[in-house]
Amino acid sequence: MDMSSRSEGPLQIITVNANRIDAAVAIQFKDTMRAETEDTTPRVILDLRQVEFIDSSGLGAIVAAMKQLGAGRKLDLAGLTPTVDSVFRMTRMDTVFSLYPTLDAALMAQAD
Amino acid sequence: MVVNQVVATHKTDRCILFEAQSGTHAVRDILELAQSQLSEWGAPATAAGPVQIVLAEVLNNVVEHAYGFREGEPFSLDMALDGPALTCVIRDFGTPFPDGTPPRGEAVALDGPTSSLPEGGFGWFLIRQLTEALSYDRTNGCNTLSLRFALAD
């Protein structure tokens, strides 16, 4: 799955370069996330701005990606498009993840 | 060999019938065609988004559960405009729902430690949340799931 990653000190930004995270790619997404987050950066921001659609398999894969980070590390989500945002809010996953409308907003929150 | 897994076999100005065969890209393809059709019918994005979420869950269930990931199995999606509403009828010839009735789609519990968070079980919750009405019938080996959505903004 096409994803790119860059690190800025204690922060890693992973960008999904695809317009869907669905059943067809959920396993690839999870595997790519595992490989990309092998370093122990405490905070990982997943930039979803290009993702227009997510299904429950994709949602499950993002939960799995957070769980495989392990204790003491955080996965935040940025750039949620309307349909993706609605799936996270309806399933109450907005209580599990910090959601930011843009990557900039997520980076600003670093100071908190 | 690339096989065309989805074909629109019947179309009028207010309804369209897609026939498909289960396979890796069949669900994506049919969702894409359904979205184009909704857009052609003038459905606002705020209505088309939820329809896509529900159809994705229902069609993934057909491929994964009714057909157990077997490829080349037939299913269809019939979409019809009915005033301000949209009716979608999905048919397949796979396994029926376990107790003959669609799941209730209870919300998944998210309390408890991160390590025990659920990675599935969201599908039927989303389907129930985003449909106005839903009915299921199993006759002569055919599963028929009918869904109704409001299309108004």
Side-chain angles (χ1 to χ4, degrees):
Chain A
M1 188 167 183
D2 187 0
M3 289 160 63
S4 48
S5 168
R6 67 178 200 269
S7 289
E8 293 180 11
L11 184 71
Q12 183 183 8
I13 299 160
I14 300 178
T15 305
V16 179
N17 300 309
N19 62 6
R20 304 177 80 85
I21 305 177
D22 61 12
V25 297
I27 291 171
Q28 293 170 43
F29 172 84
K30 212 159 73 176
D31 290 347
T32 308
M33 282 297 283
R34 183 181 289 117
E36 292 288 353
T37 58
E38 271 180 342
D39 295 340
T40 52
T41 321
R43 185 181 183 218
V44 178
I45 301 175
L46 186 63
D47 185 352
L48 295 170
R49 88 182 92 174
Q50 294 172 66
V51 180
E52 290 157 13
F53 184 77
I54 187 170
D55 64 12
S56 65
S57 303
L59 179 66
I62 291 180
V63 173
M66 180 189 61
K67 287 160 73 172
Q68 69 198 11
L69 285 183
R73 300 175 71 196
K74 202 165 181 296
L75 180 65
D76 290 345
L77 309 179
L80 286 78
T81 59
T83 300
V84 174
D85 188 73
S86 74
V87 168
F88 275 87
R89 291 185 195 280
M90 257 186 302
T91 53
R92 306 297 299 147
M93 280 294 167
D94 57 334
T95 63
V96 171
F97 294 93
S98 297
L99 310 183
Y100 298 95
T102 61
L103 180 57
D104 278 349
L107 292 171
M108 299 272 272
Q110 196 180 7
D112 293 350
Chain B
M1 188 175 70
V2 178
V3 180
N4 193 355
Q5 294 172 331
V6 181
V7 183
T9 54
H10 184 71
K11 184 177 173 178
T12 70
D13 58 345
R14 300 180 71 78
C15 82
I16 189 161
L17 174 64
F18 298 107
E19 295 189 41
Q21 294 181 323
S22 58
T24 326
H25 295 289
V27 173
R28 274 189 181 195
D29 291 349
I30 203 166
L31 290 174
E32 196 174 298
L33 292 168
Q35 288 293 294
S36 320
Q37 187 58 53
L38 285 175
S39 150
E40 196 179 311
W41 282 337
T46 47
V51 172
Q52 180 170 204
I53 292 170
V54 171
L55 291 180
E57 298 307 328
V58 167
L59 296 171
N60 280 332
N61 285 343
V62 168
V63 171
E64 294 172 14
H65 301 303
Y67 287 133
F69 292 100
R70 290 192 307 279
E71 303 212 345
E73 303 283 356
F75 64 97
S76 66
L77 165 65
D78 191 335
M79 298 203 305
L81 283 179
D82 176 15
L86 173 75
T87 303
C88 294
V89 179
I90 296 93
R91 288 196 173 83
D92 69 74
F93 300 88
T95 311
F97 287 112
D99 47 5
T101 164
R104 290 177 57 176
E106 309 284 0
V108 173
L110 298 179
D111 41 6
T114 298
S115 59
S116 68
L117 278 174
E119 295 173 28
F122 313 109
W124 269 95
F125 173 75
L126 291 168
I127 294 167
R128 296 280 188 188
Q129 289 288 305
L130 295 172
T131 47
E132 270 197 348
L134 184 152
S135 66
Y136 170 71
D137 173 67
R138 168 85 180 181
T139 304
N140 293 333
C142 178
N143 295 312
T144 303
L145 187 68
S146 305
L147 311 166
R148 192 175 166 87
F149 303 90
L151 276 193
D153 212 345

